[in-house]
Structure formats: structure tokens, C-alpha cells
Amino acid sequence: MAEQVYTQCTVGGPVKVYVENGVIKRMRPIIFDDNDKGGWTIEAKGKKFSDPRRTTLNPYVVGERMRVYSENRIKYPYRRKNFNPNGERHPELRGKDEYVRISWDEALDIVAGEIKRIRETYGPAAITAMASSHHNWGLLYYKMGPYPRFYNILGYTELLDNPDSWEGWHWGAIHAWGYYWKLGHSDNFDILGDALQNTEQVMFWSVDPNTSAGGYCAQDTTIWRHWLRELGIQRVFIDPYCNATAAHVGEKWIALRPGTDAAMAEAIAYVWINEGTYDKWFVENRTVGFEQFKAHIVGEDDGIPRTPHWAARICDVPAHTITALAREWAAKKTMLACGAMYGTGGACRSAYATEWARLMVLLIAMQGLGKPGVNIWGGVGMGAPLDFNFNMPGYASAGWDAFATVAKHPAFPDRNTVTQKVYRILLPEAILNPPIHWHGEGFCGQYFDQNLKPMTYPEPGPNGAEIKMIHRHGGSFISTMTDTSRWVRMYQSPKLEFVVMQDCHWQSETRFGDVILPASTNFEHMDLSEWTAAGGYGHGNAGTNHRVMIFQHKCIDPLWESKPDWQIYRALADRLGFLEEYDEGNSEEEWMRKIFDYSDLPKHISYEDFKKKGYFVVPLPDDYKPTVSNRWFYEGRPCDTPDPLNPNLGTDRSHLLATYSGKIEFVSESLTKFDDNDKERPPLPRYIPSWEGYNTRKLTKKYPLQMITPHVRFSYHTHHDNKNIWLEDIPQHRIKKDGYSWWPVRIHPLDAEKRDICHGDIVKVYNDRGAVLGIAFVTERIRPGTIHSYQAGAKYDPLEPGNPGSIDKGGCMNLLTPSRLISKNAPGMANNSCLVEVCKWEV
Amino acid sequence: MAKYGMIVDITKCTGCYNCFLTCRDEFAGNEYPGYSAAQPITGMNWIRLIERERGQYPVVKVAYIPVTCMQCEDAPCIKVAQEKAVYERSDGIIIIDPVKAKGQKQIVSGCPYRVIEWNEEKQLPQKCTFCAHMLDQGEKVPRCVESCPTDALIFGDLDDPESEISKLLASGATEVLHPEFGMKEKVRYISLPKKFIAGTVIYGDVDEVAVGLTVKLSSNGDSLSTKTNGFGDFEFEGLADNIDYNLVIEAPGYKSRSIKVKTMKDVSLGEIVLKK
């Protein structure tokens, strides 16, 4: 059969898919044709910068066909051998049991039967379900579509996400500058143009866009970092690791100890105050609480002036370098690149990370946030000229029911009769040792105080129930959540009567399921989407050079016995008697057509043409005018950025931020009101020594090395590693030795030499929580005293399967990270506050 | 008729491996009769990346150098092949005939760049074809070039003086990876890493970085000078290998410093403290 070319989308970029004889042969990025619009040119400092006329791909989706056809695909439905829904369940064998192939009918009958039984016995709150990001892509038939619509109609305990990639921004920065609807990070409207035209220097603080911008945005903005170099804009990196972006364009690398970033920030403020080199007008007119902050910085409150010498001892960076950093910053128009979705360098996922994130806002406030060339620029990975007024729902626009914008009866937010919630990062504790208490309703984007709301599981009263069933929809917490052997123990608990794993591939968590349902990849069914768009809380945060809408064609039939998620949930809804409510009688494509009609696409292109071409590049209006983030705030006028969720729009506070005072708060009024005695997240932010840091004496004797585990570069979380085998030929990802593909552990030559470790040795990284084997990568790019190993290795490979305490050979570093949360009222993960030791492993 | 060549701009390569993975995507399990037999599903590297870490903590740079068939005008693989199994097309692309070359393992070792690999299953030497099968269908560039997000790979017609590649060649900014092989490679490079000497100057008495201070570097017949920046850092880049240099730092009121440095590797001198 002749070659057919389809269009699809992935978490790492949209693709053209070439199919011959029913087999995917290759995938390519989209090269725009002469009819595609969306072009822009920015004139800056005598040069012109234009958009590349194409989309890009992130490396881990370049070989996506290898993932589609991977031997690791789940081919059939399975039942765990020693699980009998009508007899003995043997939960203790989860993780070390065998699997028996069963038919779809049998599998769905068990799942539907268990759902019925558990609801009748314990109530609907006894079931929870969770999807991960992002093993597929698509607006309707993937994450926020099939499973949440199903469970919202059925009723279930919502498993709230913690804001995993940007914790400190969510729990901290909100209290400095508002932006709660952006989950703590700022928007980045038109910042690219502002930066190219006006900025003289970029401080990349704990951020690595070459690594983490690719999740969603492929490599569209890599060229921007090169443009900074072309314009002679100075580039400084502050990070314990000389990260991938620093290696590409860094001019200065300041390698501080992990967890000490807030101390360096305080010292920078000290230099500015001492030398008078900050924007006094802005501080006076656009902030509150500065006098108290100033008194604290110079040591009037506790007798400890936050000088560069004070910070030098903590950060292990010379005082003269910290002073030079502060002076360079003040002397040049400087963008602070951090926060946004790319706040994934590590500083925001540490003990007391709230303090660092808040201090980032305060530092940029001291230099005049929003004035030309001065802003917080999320990882230098967002802010191209894009038309955000073009309406297309992102995958999170309607919350936990992607169909809601067009459904007759939305299933979110009101359809779920269960009010009980549980929290992802505390799920093992919730199952094993309830009750649990925490603050904040997951992604707290609906109102300011949502992140302060006290929560309890189980919910007191007749509507609460302990969870007996988990339906896990794609992905793996093992290797992404902290102290992940907790999940092994959780799954092996008899308190969990039934576990369903629904996924495309055998992930680290899959073998803890009682029933395994094989799902198809998005290439095996149709859908539509916007490239990169989360929508909702991610509105306006496109990190690409264009907004591109994709008609995701079905490229091949579902492989083996897999089914699209949508069909799986339809079959379950049918058995449970609510199919009509679930799909409202619409076919797959009818739902897609409704979304198409709801969007602004019909203003530009017919459905048939969109379907034929496969993609649409949103044009820029002829009268497009850049509206730079926070410029309106700086200038004291109403917000003019296309930010529809800004609650102040159209009110008499439209020129203000969303904090209580409307200004940037050096002393947080919201935290003062909430708990002014919280020593771990005080109203006035400050460096607080980590509870597992370089100076935690009771631990450093045994475990003297700090370990950081930033987001992985050559996989999106756990979704590509161990599925696309080509990734194992990339030495920065895995290194083959003795017939195994090992996960790299980066270590400084001095630390390696002390331990008689050479480059390429197999090493054991360990602490009291567990032990992980990896391969030593001796490098000058990590500071002495610190180990670097990416998180999200997808191969949980215990030497003793089923033993939660077993050594893992596959490289799941999160087995070693602490379950303790950022602070008592800030329930975020602190992966990067981790002490370990490393030794040679000779077996 | 075009004559194809490629220029690799090292400053733009970020080590993303798109080129490597894209080449696999095009050729692993996919055959193009007359051009190339299929690669096995994994294991071949018709384009590979050399990662070179330069310097010492905390002054470290990384250069990524993509290496593929250099499409030599004076190709040794053509010479060692029998039965004319390797030939140059009129557009300059060197092809290993996937039928005639069977069993000719000597073709693999004929290439000093080691870009020809042995397909054990098919008993064939194989290498990059500049995606000739695609170019012949009217595609503009090989897939690696298409997949590079920063346009570090520049492909074009060497016979067209207006092409980007010709202009870059004419500017004199390009060089061959191993000029000593003398094979008239049509794949050339911009900004291949040489050697650097870097350091940070501190005024010891006040413990402050020295800003705007002149630093001089000299060797037999070479004299360079630069100024420290706002961090007290200085750097001399693009230096030749294995040269004995003398670095001199002078500041009024301080004892001058003179340091001998040999560029056996990139040298990060660390902090140089000036004393009164």
C-alpha cells in the first residue's frame, strides 16, 4: 500500500507520521508551508530575529515509533495469578507475582464487579483513581478526558496532585506576588521581545530549559538562548550542576550547595541595600513591608547581617563572588530566569523551598519587576509573540472533564458526589496509617487562600471512607515521587483490596496491579489538541514559537489487544449502567467536532480542511501589539495582558497584583493572617537550614554527600525511558556495561577518588531509605560534595522483586529521597534535600 | 547539478541527540533499495556525537561534535572497495552499493573517521548517505538537518555561490575535523573546540574581584591581552594545543603575577589572588 502521512502530537512536539502497509515507518517534525501563518520578527539592537518556520521535536519523541512498537507494550489484559476476586487476594504478593492472560470480558467484568462491590460495601469514597503526565497526548481522549469523566460521574475520591515540578513557587511565591491562578509562577507575555530589545543579562537560577522546556514545548526555544549569546547578553547560571543549558550558553557558573539558594538571595539583597543599588521608587510604590525586610537583612532583628561572608560559609561560594554577582545584577538590566513550569532545576523542590521562591520575587522587585528588560522570565522558555485571544481549550481548561466545555452535562466540578479528597504525595501514609492532614487542595488555582485550606483524609463524617481501590491510569510514581518504596509497601497492604493498572507500557508500578488493562497509544485512535497547551492554569504559558492546533489522525489500528482508553471506560460505564450519560451518544469524532466548533478554528478553516491538513498555525493579528508581563503593574495601569483568569480584571484593582495588599509583599499579609508564628514559612522569608542538608550533622556523618535529582533530559518523566531502547545509546541517559543499561550518577573527581571510584564503575548510592545502583560518571560539572542523578528512571528493577527494601538496579533515585514535605504547612516534595553515600559496587 | 556539502556549527550544538535518533528513525528497519539496506533495529550510529568536557570546576564548558560521513572528494573507502562497490555520485554524495559491497569488511577499516559500520546480519558495510533517497524525491535536506532545532547542521549546494554553505565556506570560518587526513572532506566545521585558559583575579587585601584588569598571555611569537569582567573572570579561547604560555597579571600597587601554562588541556586556573 502506498505511504500515508498523518499528523499527530506528543508531549515532545507534533509529528508527521509516515505509515506503509499499516506500519509506522518514521515520524518527522512539521515544516510549515507557504500557507501557514503565525510568523513574527522581533527587531532588537540592530538585528532581526524571526520565528523558525517549523515545529521541533524533543529527542525522546524522535524515535517515538520505537515506543509505539516497544516490546514493553502491554499486549493483553492480565489478572495477577494469586489474585482471586472471589477468594484469596494475596496483596502481599503484589510486585512479585506472575500474571495470567485473560480476555477483555473477564477483565472488565472483574473491574466493574469490584467497583460495584466496593461502592456497596464501603461507599463511593473508597475508590480513587489517578493519571500521570504524559504518556500520551490529546485533549479529549487522554488525561483529563476518559478516566476523570468516568469517575466524576461514578463518584470517587479525587486524588489531588501536588504541584510537583514547581513546589516552592506554588506554596511560597503566591504569598509574595499573587498569581495563584498560575499556581505561583508568573506569566511570560511578550517577554522574548522585551528581553532581546532591552535586557543586558540573564540570571538562570536553578533552571535548565534545554532539559526541561522540552516537556510540552520540544526544542522550540533552544535557539532563543543562542540569540542571547548573539546579542552579547551576559548569561549567569546558579546551580550546583553545570546543567545542559549552562554547558551550551553559560558564561559564568556559580555552583552553590543544594538547598542554600535562599541564603545567596539574602546576601544579594544585603549588597543592594548596603550600596543603595536597588529600585527605590519601585520598592516604595509597588511593594509593602520593605522596611521590615531591610531591617532583617542588615541584622537588626536577630543580630545576623545577611552579608556575602555570612552566605559564603553556607553556600560554599566565595564572598567576593557573591558580591560580584550582586553588583553585576544591579549594574545591568537583568532578567531573572526561573519559575514557570521550568522551575525544575531543583531549588524549588527542597526543604523550605518556599523561602527561595519568595526571595526570587523579592529580588526582582528590588530591581523593578516589569520595567523594560527586567522581569521573571520562566526559564527563558516562554514569551514569543502569540495570539492568546484565539480560543482553543487546553487539556486542563475544563478541569477534570475535558468534555465539559461541550458536554450537555459536564462531569466537573459538580457531578462527583464524593467530597473526600486524598493527596498524592501522602497516598501511602493515607492508605497505611490514616488519618492524614495537610493544607491546600492540590493545584490551588481557584482562589488565593486555596493553598491554605486545611484538609483531612478520611473525611470526617458519613461521606468519608478509607480507600480500598486504586485505578492507576498511566505512568509511575515509583521513581518520581519521593521515598518511593512507600508505594511498594502501600500496594502490598491488605487495606487495598483491588488495584487496576491501565497503561500502554509495563511501567515500574504496573506489576503491582491485580488487573492490568492494555491501553493504546494516541497513535492508535483519533483526537485533537493544541500543541503544548495545558489551558486552565497553564493559560498563556506556551513555550513555543507558534500556537499550533493538531488534528490527531488515527495512524494504525490498536496494537495487540490494546484498546483506546476511551473505549475501556465506555465498556466499564456500560457495565455500570451509565454509558449514555458518559458519552452522551456521541461518537469519538462527534465530540471532536463539538470542540472544533467551540473553538476559534472555524473562523479560519473548515473542519474538513483541518482534518485533511492535520494542523493549523494560529495567525497573529495584523495589529498585534506586545503586552509585556508585569509592565502594566510597573506603570501602575490596568492589566493589559491576555490573562482572563486574573481576578482583578474589570475591577478597581485591575492595576494591582492578586496579593491581599495588591502589591509585592516583602512581609506576606496572607501568611501573617494564616500563621504569623510559622517558623518554617514565616511572613518574612529567609534562608532556613535544611532538615536534610549539608549541615545536618546527625546525618552527614554517615551520608556526607548531597544528592540532587533534577528532571530527566532524555525522557518525559518515566514515559520514554525503558520503552524506546534507542535512548539507551545516549551516554548522558544510560550507559551499557556488562549487558545492562545503567543510570548515570555524576560525581566530582575529588569525591570519586576518595572512594576509589573511576568513570564507568558500577556504584551503589544509598542512605537509610534504600539503595540504588548506577554507573559513575566522573565529571567536573558537579560541585564537590554533591551527586547528580536525574530522576524518573523508568526501570524499577529490584534485586529482590517485591521486597520494598531491595536494592534497585534500574536507577530509581527517588527511592532515596525524603518523604518529609517542604515544611509543616507547605506540603510539597523536597526531592533535592537528600543525603547519601556512594561506594563502588563490585558484583 | 548540485554538489552537496554540510557545515556543522559547534556553537549551536546542544547535545540533544536529535540527529542521532532521527537517523535511526529513518534507517532502522527501513531499506531504500539502491541506496542502503536497512539498519538493524538498534546499534548503528551513522551520525554520532562526541561530548567533550573542557576545563575544571567551576569553569567548565562542553562541546558536542557531531561526526558523520565526511563525503570526501578523495575518499579512501572508494579506493579500498572492490567491484566499484563504493562510488561518488555527480552530486558529491558517496554511496556504498548495498548489493555490491556485501562481504567487503575492508571498507569499514578504510575510513579513518570510523564512520563506516559493519551490519553483521546483512554482512554489509554501511554509512550515512546524506539521505540521498529523500533528496532524489525532491526533499531539501537530510533528516538530521531537518531535526536539528538550532540549525547547527547547515546543508546545501557547494556549487551555488549564493547558498548559505558556500558563503560560510568563502568566509574562511570553516575547517575540516582532521586536516591531516587530506581527503577534501565536504563536511566541515565552525568553532571546533581548541584550548582555553581561564581564571579569576582577586585583590587579596580587600577580598574583592578585580574588574577591568588587563591580563596578558604570551608565547613564542604570540601576544594576547584581555580584561577581567564584572566577576573578575578572564578567558583566552581558541588557543592551539600544547603551547607553552606565560600569563601575566599586573595591577598598580600589587605584586605582579606570572604563571606558566601549557595547553595540554583546557586550563581553568581558578582564583589568582593578587597581594600587595
Side-chain angles (χ1 to χ4, degrees):
Chain A
M1 205 199 335
E3 177 188 83
Q4 288 152 297
V5 184
Y6 299 107
T7 312
Q8 263 284 353
C9 201
T10 71
V11 69
V15 282
K16 286 282 179 189
V17 183
Y18 290 69
V19 177
E20 282 165 41
N21 299 320
V23 178
I24 297 173
K25 291 307 235 175
R26 67 183 68 77
M27 297 197 197
R28 295 167 70 174
I30 298 177
I31 311 299
F32 295 166
D33 62 36
D34 294 332
N35 296 317
D36 293 324
K37 302 208 163 59
W40 47 261
T41 299
I42 292 169
E43 294 193 31
K45 298 167 185 159
K47 293 190 175 199
K48 288 189 178 177
F49 300 92
S50 295
D51 64 304
R53 299 300 297 163
R54 56 157 190 236
T55 63
T56 51
L57 287 178
N58 225 43
Y60 45 75
V61 298
V62 170
E64 185 74 342
R65 65 176 169 104
M66 293 299 284
R67 201 170 75 99
V68 173
Y69 293 106
S70 168
E71 266 311 297
N72 256 339
R73 282 287 296 267
I74 303 172
K75 299 181 183 178
Y76 312 105
Y78 288 96
R79 176 182 54 78
R80 189 163 61 81
K81 182 170 169 194
N82 285 290
F83 170 82
N84 179 356
N86 302 311
E88 294 299 310
R89 288 168 184 254
H90 289 291
E92 74 283 358
L93 293 179
R94 290 185 182 127
K96 50 187 163 184
D97 211 339
E98 290 168 43
Y99 284 89
V100 170
R101 180 178 164 182
I102 56 177
S103 68
W104 266 107
D105 273 335
E106 193 186 335
L108 294 168
D109 284 346
I110 296 175
V111 176
E114 281 294 290
I115 288 175
K116 277 196 197 114
R117 179 188 70 81
I118 288 170
R119 284 166 62 84
E120 278 155 26
T121 315
Y122 305 104
I127 301 177
T128 192
M130 181 78 199
S132 276
S133 309
H134 289 278
H135 63 297
N136 271 330
W137 195 261
L139 192 162
L140 288 172
Y141 297 114
Y142 157 52
K143 175 172 169 145
M144 309 295 257
Y147 106 78
R149 184 169 173 83
F150 176 89
Y151 276 107
N152 275 308
I153 293 174
L154 189 69
Y156 80 124
T157 291
E158 196 184 328
L159 181 61
L160 298 171
D161 266 320
N162 52 305
D164 41 20
S165 296
W166 63 96
E167 303 277 13
W169 292 88
H170 183 268
W171 306 110
I174 282 177
H175 297 285
W177 66 357
Y179 283 117
Y180 59 84
W181 62 100
K182 306 257 178 196
L183 305 175
H185 42 74
S186 167
D187 46 47
N188 288 268
F189 296 110
D190 293 304
I191 292 200
L192 175 66
D194 182 36
L196 295 176
Q197 287 163 353
N198 302 308
T199 295
E200 295 164 323
Q201 174 172 244
V202 180
M203 297 296 180
F204 290 79
W205 198 319
S206 187
V207 74
D208 184 9
N210 280 14
T211 292
S212 37
Y216 294 81
C217 310
Q219 298 194 72
D220 254 36
T221 63
T222 307
I223 195 70
W224 299 4
R225 270 85 70 188
H226 187 76
W227 290 346
L228 297 181
R229 179 164 56 195
E230 218 181 296
L231 286 174
I233 296 172
Q234 180 159 270
R235 299 155 320 271
V236 179
F237 283 79
I238 302 165
D239 194 319
Y241 176 56
C242 180
N243 64 45
T245 314
H248 172 213
V249 292
E251 287 179 284
K252 177 71 178 173
W253 172 33
I254 295 177
L256 75 184
R257 285 188 176 118
T260 64
D261 306 69
M264 185 168 288
E266 290 201 80
I268 291 169
Y270 179 93
V271 173
W272 294 347
I273 287 166
N274 199 34
E275 301 183 354
T277 50
Y278 63 96
D279 190 329
K280 296 186 176 127
W281 176 89
F282 186 92
V283 163
E284 167 120 9
N285 288 280
R286 298 285 183 264
T287 77
V288 297
F290 184 73
E291 287 309 308
Q292 202 175 324
F293 178 75
K294 182 170 155 188
H296 158 77
I297 291 288
V298 302
E300 277 171 27
D301 56 355
D302 59 7
I304 305 172
R306 286 0 189 215
T307 62
H309 278 92
W310 165 83
R313 284 191 296 274
I314 296 166
C315 304
D316 192 32
V317 173
H320 49 246
T321 302
I322 297 175
T323 303
L325 173 66
R327 287 179 179 160
E328 279 289 280
W329 190 329
K332 298 178 158 77
K333 294 205 202 98
T334 300
M335 283 283 176
L336 175 56
C338 60
M341 279 190 285
Y342 315 133
T344 52
C348 68
R349 287 145 51 96
S350 302
Y352 311 124
T354 49
E355 306 310 283
W356 167 72
R358 296 163 73 193
L359 283 162
M360 291 296 98
V361 176
L362 301 184
L363 285 188
I364 206 67
M366 286 178 76
Q367 295 300 329
L369 170 79
K371 79 175 171 229
V374 176
N375 230 311
I376 288 197
W377 191 7
V380 187
M382 292 188 212
L386 297 172
D387 179 12
F388 286 108
N389 293 313
F390 182 98
N391 178 33
M392 175 74 173
Y395 73 76
S397 294
W400 292 98
D401 177 17
F403 303 89
T405 44
V406 297
K408 283 201 208 101
H409 302 287
F412 184 84
D414 299 320
R415 184 66 180 85
N416 185 2
T417 54
V418 175
T419 44
Q420 173 173 275
K421 310 251 192 283
V422 73
Y423 192 44
R424 173 177 60 172
I425 193 62
L426 293 175
L427 186 64
E429 284 78 5
I431 301 294
L432 294 171
N433 203 23
I436 58 162
H437 308 281
W438 74 98
H439 287 86
E441 250 180 326
F443 283 6
C444 304
Q446 290 164 311
Y447 57 94
F448 190 103
D449 287 355
Q450 198 178 18
N451 71 88
L452 303 171
K453 183 173 167 183
M455 311 281 293
T456 299
Y457 161 92
E459 183 186 285
N463 298 326
E466 281 195 49
I467 287 165
K468 297 292 171 191
M469 169 180 163
I470 295 177
H471 189 151
R472 186 82 175 81
H473 177 104
S476 177
F477 294 146
I478 293 177
S479 199
T480 53
M481 296 294 116
T482 48
D483 196 5
T484 44
S485 57
R486 296 182 287 151
W487 262 264
V488 179
R489 289 191 291 275
M490 174 189 82
Y491 280 122
Q492 291 176 340
S493 164
K495 293 176 120 201
L496 279 180
E497 295 183 8
F498 184 57
V499 178
V500 187
M501 295 289 172
Q502 180 170 332
D503 207 336
C504 308
H505 295 88
W506 290 95
Q507 293 266 25
S508 296
E509 217 166 325
T510 315
R511 288 187 187 276
F512 293 89
D514 299 320
V515 170
I516 299 179
L517 302 176
S520 310
T521 68
N522 54 287
F523 296 91
E524 295 153 62
H525 59 260
M526 61 164 67
D527 203 338
L528 81 172
S529 64
E530 176 173 355
W531 176 21
T532 201
Y537 55 79
H539 178 85
N541 273 352
T544 49
N545 290 312
H546 312 92
R547 288 188 70 190
V548 185
M549 310 300 149
I550 308 290
F551 190 108
Q552 298 183 204
H553 298 119
K554 175 178 167 178
C555 303
I556 55 174
D557 286 331
L559 291 175
W560 297 288
E561 285 188 17
S562 74
K563 287 186 194 296
D565 290 306
W566 175 239
Q567 298 304 339
I568 298 174
Y569 287 104
R570 283 188 73 249
L572 286 171
D574 196 17
R575 280 166 168 75
L576 294 166
F578 61 93
L579 176 60
E580 201 179 304
E581 187 182 352
Y582 185 61
D583 70 6
E584 296 188 353
N586 293 316
S587 71
E588 215 176 31
E589 195 166 356
E590 279 166 342
W591 280 113
M592 286 167 60
R593 185 64 199 254
K594 287 180 194 301
I595 294 279
F596 175 88
D597 290 337
Y598 170 88
S599 77
D600 277 348
L601 280 164
K603 296 181 187 164
H604 299 268
I605 188 171
S606 71
Y607 181 80
E608 290 68 35
D609 286 345
F610 178 53
K611 183 172 179 178
K612 184 153 174 252
K613 184 154 184 186
Y615 71 95
F616 175 75
V617 184
V618 174
L620 279 179
D622 294 326
D623 58 351
Y624 180 85
K625 273 194 196 42
T627 52
V628 179
S629 289
N630 301 313
R631 179 68 52 78
W632 53 272
F633 177 67
Y634 179 79
E635 292 177 357
R637 49 183 175 79
C639 171
D640 59 355
T641 53
D643 191 12
L645 297 178
N646 180 346
N648 289 342
L649 288 182
T651 72
D652 60 4
R653 288 174 73 88
S654 62
H655 60 296
L656 297 174
L657 296 174
T659 53
Y660 285 12
S661 65
K663 300 184 180 181
I664 293 184
E665 299 185 347
F666 282 86
V667 180
S668 166
E669 296 191 1
S670 36
L671 291 179
T672 302
K673 180 169 168 221
F674 170 70
D675 182 356
D676 66 351
N677 206 30
D678 184 352
K679 300 281 184 283
E680 300 185 2
R681 186 179 56 174
L684 184 75
R686 68 203 57 213
Y687 167 69
I688 302 169
S690 169
W691 33 258
E692 189 167 332
Y694 80 93
N695 213 18
T696 314
R697 298 284 164 83
K698 62 178 177 353
L699 290 174
T700 51
K701 273 200 190 53
K702 267 170 66 176
Y703 307 120
L705 298 169
Q706 291 184 275
M707 179 168 76
I708 56 171
T709 52
H711 281 49
V712 65
R713 187 173 183 194
F714 291 101
S715 180
Y716 186 80
H717 300 321
T718 62
H719 300 295
H720 300 86
D721 178 53
N722 200 35
K723 293 152 204 70
N724 177 352
I725 57 174
W726 293 344
L727 299 171
E728 295 172 22
D729 292 320
I730 299 172
Q732 288 285 357
H733 185 68
R734 284 192 184 267
I735 296 175
K736 290 186 172 133
K737 181 167 178 168
D738 300 338
Y740 196 77
S741 292
W742 301 91
W743 195 255
V745 175
R746 290 168 191 80
I747 182 169
H748 188 273
L750 289 175
D751 292 321
E753 207 228 347
K754 265 188 223 152
R755 294 160 174 82
D756 200 25
I757 291 171
C758 298
H759 185 81
D761 281 348
I762 305 304
V763 293
K764 179 174 90 161
V765 187
Y766 64 97
N767 59 22
D768 287 340
R769 296 178 196 107
V772 181
L773 303 182
I775 189 161
F777 199 116
V778 179
T779 172
E780 301 277 349
R781 286 169 67 182
I782 187 66
R783 56 161 289 119
T786 302
I787 299 292
H788 172 294
S789 192
Y790 286 118
Q791 67 146 19
K795 193 192 296 194
Y796 175 55
D797 193 4
L799 297 182
E800 304 157 80
N803 175 2
S806 164
I807 295 175
D808 166 51
K809 195 169 148 188
C812 295
M813 291 299 161
N814 266 311
L815 289 163
L816 306 176
T817 54
S819 59
R820 180 167 169 175
L821 300 175
I822 285 177
S823 68
K824 75 170 195 245
N825 291 321
M829 305 200 284
N831 308 58
N832 296 294
S833 293
C834 183
L835 289 169
V836 299
E837 179 55 285
V838 181
C839 66
K840 229 155 70 154
W841 178 261
E842 268 140 355
V843 178
Chain B
M1 180 85 251
K3 189 105 171 186
Y4 291 121
M6 189 157 80
I7 290 176
V8 182
D9 184 349
I10 299 299
T11 65
K12 288 186 169 169
C13 182
T14 66
C16 77
Y17 277 82
N18 265 22
C19 52
F20 166 79
L21 292 162
T22 299
C23 183
R24 287 265 180 102
D25 185 55
E26 184 63 19
F27 295 98
N30 293 334
E31 67 161 1
Y32 303 103
Y35 298 94
S36 54
Q39 281 182 11
I41 202 63
T42 191
M44 294 199 99
N45 314 287
W46 293 1
I47 185 167
R48 62 177 189 266
L49 231 45
I50 297 172
E51 178 181 311
R52 191 179 301 166
E53 199 173 284
R54 309 170 60 203
Q56 296 83 49
Y57 173 86
V59 180
V60 186
K61 302 191 195 191
V62 182
Y64 288 97
I65 306 168
V67 174
T68 186
C69 171
M70 301 292 174
Q71 310 288 351
C72 308
E73 284 289 277
D74 208 1
C77 54
I78 293 179
K79 293 180 190 141
V80 305
Q82 289 160 14
E83 318 279 333
K84 293 200 169 66
V86 185
Y87 61 94
E88 181 178 349
R89 299 175 8 148
S90 50
D91 61 6
I93 301 178
I94 313 241
I95 299 287
I96 300 175
D97 188 310
V99 173
K100 286 192 191 161
K102 187 158 180 184
Q104 295 198 42
K105 219 163 183 178
Q106 82 285 1
I107 293 175
V108 173
S109 38
C111 174
Y113 281 108
R114 300 183 297 119
V115 295
I116 302 179
E117 296 182 302
W118 184 248
N119 183 331
E120 182 65 34
E121 190 208 341
K122 295 203 155 62
Q123 292 289 300
L124 267 180
Q126 293 190 301
K127 69 169 188 69
C128 163
T129 61
F130 258 7
C131 289
H133 65 286
M134 287 176 60
L135 298 174
D136 286 350
Q137 296 295 315
E139 297 269 7
K140 298 272 187 320
V141 298
R143 282 208 54 201
C144 55
V145 176
E146 180 184 81
S147 75
C148 178
T150 55
D151 296 323
L153 302 174
I154 303 149
F155 180 85
D157 182 3
L158 299 164
D159 281 349
D160 171 12
E162 294 308 307
S163 69
E164 196 190 344
I165 191 174
S166 294
K167 289 186 190 160
L168 280 168
L169 263 173
S171 75
T174 71
E175 60 182 311
V176 151
L177 185 57
H178 278 287
E180 69 274 21
F181 294 161
M183 302 189 304
K184 303 199 191 73
E185 294 89 319
K186 297 200 287 290
V187 174
R188 299 171 69 93
Y189 292 80
I190 292 174
S191 294
L192 281 171
K194 302 284 184 284
K195 291 291 182 285
F196 71 75
I197 296 174
T200 305
V201 186
I202 310 294
Y203 292 127
D205 59 331
V206 291
D207 190 29
E208 295 220 349
V209 304
V211 180
L213 193 62
T214 300
V215 178
K216 296 196 184 114
L217 189 73
S218 60
S219 66
N220 267 345
D222 218 358
S223 196
L224 301 163
S225 137
T226 188
K227 280 195 172 13
T228 57
N229 67 8
F231 289 98
D233 296 337
F234 68 88
E235 180 188 272
F236 294 95
E237 246 289 21
L239 303 173
D241 286 358
N242 289 317
I243 305 289
D244 288 300
Y245 283 102
N246 197 40
L247 186 89
V248 172
I249 306 173
E250 285 166 328
Y254 291 88
K255 295 200 184 92
S256 75
R257 292 289 302 271
S258 172
I259 303 173
K260 291 204 185 318
V261 188
K262 183 163 187 167
T263 49
M264 286 173 69
K265 58 180 185 179
D266 298 284
V267 181
S268 303
L269 291 166
E271 295 197 335
I272 302 163
V273 183
L274 298 181
K275 297 202 186 338
K276 279 214 173 280

